[in-house]
Amino acid sequence: MLSQNSLANPLLTHSVLANPVLANTIDCAQSSNLANTLFDLGDCFGNLCRIPLESAFRLFQSSNQNCTPPENQRLLTQQLHTSIPFAVSREWQNQVWSYQVSLHTGTNSSLPLHQHLGAKTLTSIPAEHKTNLKEWLYFASPLDKLLHLDWQLLSAEQLRLQRLQHLSYWLKSKLEQGRSLETFLLVPLTDLPLGDGLNQSLKHSFARIGKQSLPNQERLSALNYAVFQQGKLIEGYGLQPNGLFQIKDRLNAYVVADDQAGPQGTHSSLLILDQRQCLQTLAQLEAVGI
């Protein structure tokens, strides 16, 4: 559980930040000094820090004059590589409308971001209020590590390889953590293969894998999937419906047992994958050295 801490004073030390207080968003301040900028901006949530996205652009520009982040803010999570996982969110009244997590090749390194932002996610915003959205940059890190943040912009080729590496780690973690049932692989729905937020289209997210090409120009296939939630199969694509309905009762027993083993509600959504397809996709990646 992440405890909320407010970054309201540039003189506060990390030990003081450990005391839980109400989050207090601080207006951005111009600064060319990385450490001062981090202290002046945003909120700190224990191991999760938040900075207004506009201010973060100035932070990056002031720390490296020769490397400017992409003009399209939507591309930031894909083109910017950092030593610490991060996410960009669009929020209304401090509730998340959409978010994207950076591509990182480390097992479960981005899970705290998915878990925190997923818990804050809204299903909808009144149309008249959608102009009041604010954009934030989150880092899955204690404050002291941000003082030594390394970052670089990826070239098109580096970005393509990073996506594939991220996918490879994602598949390995699911195959290691998941449970086999008939031809299916069952895993809690905690993150998606290319950094997509959990409130975005799952169909689109899994279809994006089919748009990735390997260094030998071979194309990957879109991953087939289904989601089981509250005793129902709520969506899916590509998996055989008959096979899913035959295991429906066992799926419900799996979810109940999994919820009892962990924090209440943590694993209420179950992701169902084709285990053989996951193994085949991973084999394709490993065959070209990914």
Side-chain angles (χ1 to χ4, degrees):
M1 180 64 68
L2 295 168
S3 62
Q4 291 188 336
N5 302 278
S6 174
L7 189 56
N9 189 320
L11 299 178
L12 290 176
T13 63
H14 190 270
S15 60
V16 173
L17 288 169
N19 296 323
V21 294
L22 292 176
N24 178 27
T25 301
I26 304 303
D27 291 334
C28 65
Q30 292 280 357
S31 175
S32 60
N33 182 283
L34 177 61
N36 286 343
T37 303
L38 289 170
F39 275 110
D40 287 344
L41 304 175
D43 306 324
C44 189
F45 301 85
N47 288 325
L48 202 66
C49 289
R50 183 174 83 156
I51 303 170
L53 186 58
E54 181 181 351
S55 302
F57 273 106
R58 291 197 291 271
L59 182 157
F60 291 128
Q61 289 168 344
S62 64
S63 62
N64 190 333
Q65 298 293 338
N66 298 321
C67 199
T68 304
E71 293 182 3
N72 185 345
Q73 296 178 358
R74 303 269 63 79
L75 298 177
L76 181 66
T77 52
Q78 302 291 302
Q79 289 187 257
L80 184 65
H81 175 75
T82 67
S83 54
I84 298 169
F86 70 95
V88 174
S89 71
R90 302 182 74 192
E91 302 184 12
W92 176 67
Q93 295 186 351
N94 285 324
Q95 295 295 303
V96 176
W97 183 37
S98 64
Y99 72 93
Q100 181 88 13
V101 176
S102 62
L103 296 175
H104 267 266
T105 53
T107 305
N108 295 332
S109 62
S110 298
L111 277 183
L113 292 165
H114 278 291
Q115 292 170 343
H116 179 76
L117 293 169
K120 291 178 60 180
T121 292
L122 293 166
T123 56
S124 64
I125 299 173
E128 62 271 20
H129 295 300
K130 286 186 178 178
T131 56
N132 298 325
L133 294 174
K134 294 184 179 180
E135 295 185 309
W136 292 88
L137 182 67
Y138 284 82
F139 282 101
S141 168
L143 183 63
D144 53 356
K145 287 188 178 180
L146 289 187
L147 302 179
H148 307 285
L149 178 68
D150 294 322
W151 66 276
Q152 63 176 317
L153 288 180
L154 300 174
S155 67
E157 180 60 21
Q158 288 173 325
L159 174 59
R160 184 164 70 95
L161 291 175
Q162 178 119 334
R163 282 198 190 107
L164 295 175
Q165 289 171 346
H166 186 95
L167 175 60
S168 177
Y169 274 95
W170 187 87
L171 287 168
K172 288 177 182 176
S173 67
K174 299 311 169 191
L175 287 165
E176 290 172 359
Q177 300 164 5
R179 180 180 300 182
S180 298
L181 183 57
E182 304 290 348
T183 62
F184 303 113
L185 180 68
L186 314 180
V187 292
L189 180 57
T190 54
D191 61 329
L192 294 175
L194 292 174
D196 297 323
L198 296 177
N199 61 331
Q200 297 176 18
S201 168
L202 270 65
K203 181 178 180 180
H204 173 73
S205 179
F206 287 105
R208 286 178 64 201
I209 297 172
K211 297 179 181 180
Q212 311 303 314
S213 59
L214 300 175
N216 62 4
Q217 302 307 311
E218 182 183 1
R219 284 273 182 160
L220 296 175
S221 299
L223 282 185
N224 300 327
Y225 78 98
V227 176
F228 186 78
Q229 186 179 67
Q230 296 180 342
K232 299 179 180 178
L233 289 161
I234 61 170
E235 69 169 290
Y237 180 82
L239 298 179
Q240 291 296 325
N242 289 340
L244 289 170
F245 284 116
Q246 287 175 3
I247 64 168
K248 186 177 178 182
D249 290 341
R250 283 183 285 172
L251 288 175
N252 198 48
Y254 174 92
V255 171
V256 170
D258 202 44
D259 278 345
Q260 290 175 347
Q264 186 175 2
T266 300
H267 299 162
S268 57
S269 294
L270 184 67
L271 178 63
I272 306 170
L273 300 168
D274 182 326
Q275 185 168 18
R276 185 170 64 176
Q277 187 188 30
C278 290
L279 289 168
Q280 289 175 340
T281 302
L282 183 58
Q284 283 182 275
L285 293 165
E286 292 178 338
V288 294
I290 300 298

